[in-house]
Amino acid sequence: MNIRACSLALAVACAVTLPALANDAASQPEKVSSGVKLSTLCDHCSVVDSVTTVTRKGKASGVGAVGGAVLGGVVGHQLGGGTGKTVLTAGGAVAGGLAGNEIEKNMKKYTVWVTHVTLKNGTHRTFEERAAPAFRKGDVVKVDGNRIVKS
């Protein structure tokens, strides 16, 4: 095949392919989230997809671990005899400390509200708050750093 034939074949391929590609791009459905067209949003806006609550464990201060260790050590000391008593006392203290720490975390648990949003470009972000947010699914909100506010 000579250069002129190759050029002609390339021109025909482009003439057929480029309009088809343009039609494919035009026929792409518009992105919608919770009934809102993303193209209508401002650059810093997003659509609320969901608001859910999640229970989180609290932070332990060490009081539960110390109390559990003492109680576990006392119970372990009551069991066994000789060197077994020493092993059970130490083991009871360790197990009691771990259990006491978990009990303290569970006693200090709290609820957070997790808000999932879709941004104008189609990406998703999640925001977490300790208080119930003032918006619900389908609301348009603005992203302000690491928080969201009503738009």
Side-chain angles (χ1 to χ4, degrees):
M1 196 181 256
N2 63 27
I3 294 177
R4 189 174 278 169
C6 286
S7 296
L8 180 61
L10 182 61
V12 169
C14 286
V16 170
T17 305
L18 290 178
L21 290 175
N23 285 339
D24 283 349
S27 67
Q28 292 289 328
E30 186 167 4
K31 291 183 181 179
V32 175
S33 179
S34 297
V36 177
K37 292 180 181 179
L38 297 182
S39 64
T40 64
L41 298 176
C42 71
D43 288 338
H44 298 287
C45 291
S46 59
V47 178
V48 175
D49 293 320
S50 67
V51 178
T52 57
T53 57
V54 177
T55 301
R56 302 256 191 251
K57 285 185 177 181
K59 294 193 187 256
S61 65
V63 173
V66 171
V70 169
L71 185 60
V74 168
V75 170
H77 188 73
Q78 301 297 320
L79 305 171
T83 56
K85 182 177 282 235
T86 304
V87 170
L88 286 174
T89 301
V94 170
L98 293 172
N101 194 47
E102 284 301 309
I103 290 169
E104 182 182 5
K105 287 182 194 177
N106 283 328
M107 290 180 68
K108 292 182 174 181
K109 65 185 172 184
Y110 58 96
T111 300
V112 294
W113 281 260
V114 180
T115 304
H116 298 275
V117 299
T118 301
L119 282 72
K120 182 176 185 167
N121 64 7
T123 60
H124 301 278
R125 284 192 63 186
T126 302
F127 298 88
E128 190 172 297
E129 299 180 62
R130 293 287 294 258
F135 31 78
R136 61 181 194 259
K137 181 178 179 172
D139 285 351
V140 175
V141 294
K142 281 191 177 184
V143 177
D144 183 20
N146 287 327
R147 65 188 188 108
I148 48 179
V149 295
K150 281 262 192 187
S151 62

